[in-house]
Amino acid sequence: MAIEMLGRASSSDVSKRFGFYYDEAMTHPLAVERNGAARVVMMPAAEYERLARLDHVALHPRELAREDLKALRDVVIPESARELDHLLD
């Protein structure tokens, strides 16, 4: 999730209205800014735990078997999937 897609609030606003922003963060991630830059993100604990579990799913290419690397190199992307490339921008 890109930072631009998050709700945003300054740390001083969050400090003054913590209950409000707590409730907001339960429905969508909230970037808390200090000096104009997002420093932390508030989100439900369950979502953080889900993301933390996903962190261990990714492998470094050196961890893949040779046949898996070959399969990745040789994959043919269907045209219907290429039409979705714009969603990655």
Side-chain angles (χ1 to χ4, degrees), residues 24-77:
E24 286 291 301
M26 292 303 291
T27 61
H28 58 275
L30 177 71
V32 180
E33 299 176 337
R34 178 174 272 172
N35 298 324
R39 302 291 184 183
V40 297
V41 175
M42 292 175 62
M43 67 178 70
E47 178 65 3
Y48 172 79
E49 289 165 1
R50 184 187 73 79
L51 292 171
R53 283 191 306 273
L54 288 176
D55 184 46
H56 303 290
V57 172
L59 298 174
H60 192 280
R62 287 187 294 249
E63 297 176 87
L64 294 172
R66 190 174 304 241
E67 59 270 13
D68 293 332
L69 284 170
K70 182 177 180 338
L72 287 170
R73 271 195 307 269
D74 298 342
V75 72
V76 176
I77 301 169

